Each structure stands twice: as structure tokens, then as C-alpha cells.
Amino acid sequence: MIDMANIPKGALYGIKVLDLSRVLAGPSCTQVLADLGAEVIKVERPHIGDETRHWAPPTFSDDTSAYYATINRNKKSLTVDITTPTGQTIIKQLIADSDILVENFKVGGLKKYGLDYDSLKQSNPRLIYASLTGFGQTGPDAKRPGYDYIIQGLSGLMSITGPSDGEPHKIGVAVVDLFAGLQLTIGIQAALLARQNTGVGQHVDVALLDSALAMLANVGMNHLASDKIPPRLGNQHPNIVPYQVFAGEGEQHFILACGNDSQFAKLCDVLAVDWHTDERFTTNPQRVANRELLCGELTKQFAKQPRTYWLEVLDQAGIPCGAIHNVAEALAMPQAQARNMIVNFTEQGSPVRALGNPIKLSASPVSYRTPPPQLSEHTDSTLAELGYDKATIAKLKADGIV
């Protein structure tokens, strides 16, 4: 078993989080907080739990799917029916000494239970109440449910993803959920710092749509600067050429990323051509204007040798390039191993292997203290800390409240 005494206290040690969120976006935020040392109590529905427990196969155990295990380590699982008055009382008791509450219910969905921000801040003015919804707490669409896939479409992300001559594509993972979860984490940490100065908490409001619009980044800015609708370019870059996927001999694909004119000149040296002196290609704006002509010629050149050859000579010349790995190849990279990007919980008696946290802190590092919890694993101990005796806990269970 893991020796808890030898784990350094995380940056958020002493911070208590009540996690009323489910699925991906909210739980991804609370897992980051937990990795950083916060105590996170995940509230789940009795007997059912977070629906992602059952998004399977594959699974690690009967109630721990790979999906659930993605974003629920280092948490405690408490099952409570918050639709009941007794369940609401339990939640309010936990909130009394919590620093943060995270929820992703529909706007106004918790008000009928007395668990909305305006109600709770009266009893705990230091509470940071973090809400993650599809469209935010305000605006004409505030009450609409939000789903990553739909938001990818509404936000314009799908319009710029996929082949130029094909249909729009979603990104391979729920990137809007994950990005919004990070934005919520940043907002919570900012609110914690603000509370040090003011002594009071606040409401953190993050929306999937807002997050996706922010993700448009330079492509969105291209539109604002030109009023033109950005095209779908497949694996090409809208502002840099050549910066895309090419194939070596035998259709072995790799990425070439020439970020400036100097790198393009080096590429021409490798290829033994003088295109960098051609007025059509000398500068990046000229190369963007003549994208199809240049990339067509590059395609012919790269087809002459296998990918391994090009990766070696390009790397030696200092030209950014890289293979396109499958997931197994990516996780097997020595660099990924050296950075501890795979976490194994077998020492804690769990079959779970998980993707690691990318945040590396020198003095208060993230820690992997406990695997994703079994459903209701910490219900008894959490209620006991609130003062409930065994007989009362048994009655709550018999009544289906916990």
C-alpha cells in the first residue's frame, strides 16, 4: 500500500472541494484540484453513480469504466440523493466547511434544492461556487443543455476541422469539455487568491461555448481581421506554409513544420532546390499565397524517400518535424515514460492505469494518492465525520437517501 506519510503536501493541501459535477468537464477540473492536493468529495447518485461509470467497455472493474477512471482519481465517493430534504441537509453540512463547490447542473437546476450560489453564500460567504454549463449563467441560451459535440459544431471548431474537400469533423476527444474544465480550474484558483485579499468567495461561471470560441484563437482572429470566413484546410496551417502532413515513400506520413523563412531555406538545402530564392516562395506570405503550387512540389520530393530518411535528415538540419504516432506508440515514447505520463495504481490494490498529470511543480508536486473510488466507498466515513452514528447511516441507506 502507498505510504501517505511520505507524500509531499500538494499546493492545494487544506482546500476542501465538494464535487457535484459529473461526466467529463467538471470532473476533469476537480481531478486537477485533487492532484494538486485538495480534498475532493465526489457526490454521486445512490446505486447508480456518475453515468460515466457505465460508459463501457472497456472497464477496470464492475463500476469503474476507463472513461470514469480518466477524471476521478484522488477523490472520495459519497452517494447522496440531493432531491430529498435529508440529502440536501447532508450537502449543506458538507458545504459549511468547504472552500469550493463545483457543479455542472443546468442553469437554475440546484435552486429548487436550496443549493444555488445565492442561497449557500449566506451561510458560507467564503465559498467559491464554480459552475460549468453549456452556455453560461446569462444570455438567451443560458438554459439550454450543453454537449461537447454540439458545441464543437456551434462554435465553428468543426468548420475548420477535417479535409478541405470533405465534411466537417469533430476533434478526436471531447476537447471543449477538457478545455472548459481547465478554464474552470484557472477561475477557481484565481478566486482562491482573491479570497485571500477580500475574505469572501465568489461565483465562477464558465461555459462550454465561451471556451470553444476562445479556442478559435488565431483562426478566429483571422476572421476578425479580414471579415473572411476561415476555410477548412485539413492538415494545413492557415497562416504558415509549409506546415502540414506529407507522405514519404510508401505513404508513411509525417509532419513538417517550417515556422519561418530560415527554416524554409534549410529545407531547400536538404532537398537541393533553390525555391527560397524564388519570389513566389521567398517569404511566408508569398508561400501562403502560392500554397498549392509549393506543397504540390514538396509532395513529389518527399515521395522519393521513406519517412525514416526524411525525419533523420530534417532533424539533423534543425527543421521541425515528427512522426504521426498511434496512441500505443505515443505512450511508449521514452520521453512520455521519463515524464511519468502513465500512472499505475497496482500498489494501492487497483487495476487502474491512468494518464498522468502534465503539471510539474518542484516544491509541491502533484501526487497520485488513491485510484478512482468505488461507488459509495467513502459514504460511511464522510457521514461519520459529520457526526452521524452507525444506526443513522444504516437508516439513511435503508431509505435510499445515501
Side-chain angles (χ1 to χ4, degrees):
M1 296 295 289
I2 192 167
D3 184 358
M4 303 296 290
N6 290 327
I7 295 179
K9 289 182 170 59
L12 295 180
Y13 177 79
I15 297 296
K16 185 173 181 178
V17 181
L18 192 62
D19 184 4
L20 298 184
S21 69
R22 58 203 188 281
V23 188
L24 181 59
S28 72
C29 162
T30 52
Q31 177 169 277
V32 173
L33 299 176
D35 285 353
L36 289 168
E39 177 190 3
V40 177
I41 299 175
K42 181 179 178 67
V43 178
E44 303 187 66
R45 290 174 295 175
H47 310 298
I48 299 173
D50 188 316
E51 48 262 58
T52 61
R53 285 185 179 275
H54 314 290
W55 287 6
T59 65
F60 288 105
S61 63
D62 289 344
D63 68 356
T64 305
S65 68
Y67 200 113
Y68 178 86
T70 304
I71 26 77
N72 284 296
R73 64 170 169 255
N74 286 335
K75 302 179 185 180
K76 299 176 180 178
S77 174
L78 165 71
T79 52
V80 178
D81 183 355
I82 67 171
T83 67
T84 65
T86 303
Q88 292 154 25
T89 296
I90 293 171
I91 297 299
K92 290 175 182 177
Q93 288 176 306
L94 289 167
I95 288 170
D97 68 343
S98 292
D99 297 282
I100 302 160
L101 183 148
V102 177
E103 61 92 12
N104 61 351
F105 284 75
K106 292 179 183 178
V107 172
L110 289 174
K111 187 172 184 178
K112 59 187 175 184
Y113 306 133
L115 299 177
D116 58 302
Y117 175 60
D118 287 337
S119 299
L120 296 177
K121 71 178 181 180
Q122 304 302 321
S123 58
N124 184 357
R126 291 177 55 81
L127 181 68
I128 293 165
Y129 191 106
S131 299
L132 200 160
T133 56
F135 298 89
Q137 301 294 306
T138 58
D141 292 329
K143 292 187 179 298
R144 292 182 61 186
Y147 300 92
D148 176 281
Y149 200 163
I150 293 172
I151 298 296
Q152 285 197 40
L154 290 175
S155 66
L157 278 176
M158 285 180 63
S159 77
I160 57 173
T161 305
S164 57
D165 57 351
E167 67 179 12
H169 281 46
K170 72 177 181 68
I171 299 167
V173 295
V175 66
V176 175
D177 277 349
L178 295 169
F179 193 78
L182 289 175
Q183 300 285 26
L184 192 68
T185 305
I186 294 167
I188 288 169
Q189 292 179 323
L192 282 171
L193 287 173
R195 193 179 70 176
Q196 287 186 351
N197 297 323
T198 65
V200 296
Q202 58 185 293
H203 192 180
V204 181
D205 170 15
V206 170
L208 296 182
L209 179 63
D210 297 349
S211 298
L213 292 173
M215 287 176 66
L216 293 175
N218 60 294
V219 178
M221 292 298 291
N222 288 349
H223 168 67
L224 294 177
S226 68
D227 284 329
K228 295 180 181 179
I229 297 175
R232 189 162 54 256
L233 296 174
N235 287 315
Q236 296 179 335
H237 194 289
N239 303 106
I240 309 173
V241 172
Y243 203 100
Q244 65 181 74
V245 171
F246 289 99
E249 184 182 35
E251 291 296 306
Q252 295 177 315
H253 292 90
F254 65 94
I255 299 165
L256 172 69
C258 283
N260 55 51
D261 297 337
S262 174
Q263 290 173 350
F264 179 68
K266 292 179 181 178
L267 173 64
C268 292
D269 288 341
V270 168
L271 297 175
V273 297
D274 59 0
W275 297 338
H276 57 296
T277 63
D278 188 322
E279 63 179 11
R280 296 170 298 177
F281 310 131
T282 304
T283 67
N284 183 68
Q286 292 167 329
R287 293 193 294 275
V288 171
N290 294 283
R291 178 195 301 271
E292 291 186 11
L293 176 59
L294 175 59
C295 292
E297 292 301 317
L298 286 170
T299 297
K300 295 176 186 176
Q301 291 285 334
F302 289 132
K304 296 177 181 179
Q305 297 284 352
R307 178 177 68 180
T308 52
Y309 169 83
W310 292 119
L311 291 176
E312 182 177 352
V313 297
L314 292 171
D315 188 59
Q316 288 177 349
I319 301 167
C321 61
I324 298 175
H325 286 154
N326 61 36
V327 173
E329 291 169 333
L331 294 177
M333 290 176 64
Q335 182 66 16
Q337 301 288 328
R339 298 284 288 177
N340 299 315
M341 288 308 297
I342 299 178
V343 181
N344 196 326
F345 284 103
T346 54
E347 289 187 4
Q348 287 96 305
S350 169
V352 172
R353 290 191 304 155
L355 300 176
N357 191 309
I359 300 171
K360 314 298 182 185
L361 296 175
S362 61
S364 51
V366 302
S367 60
Y368 307 106
R369 303 178 300 281
T370 58
Q374 297 297 305
L375 182 62
S376 196
E377 181 177 343
H378 304 93
T379 295
D380 287 18
S381 59
T382 301
L383 292 177
E385 290 177 4
L386 293 175
Y388 291 78
D389 58 30
K390 292 183 178 179
T392 303
I393 294 172
K395 179 67 164 55
L396 291 171
K397 290 181 177 179
D399 293 341
I401 294 171
V402 301

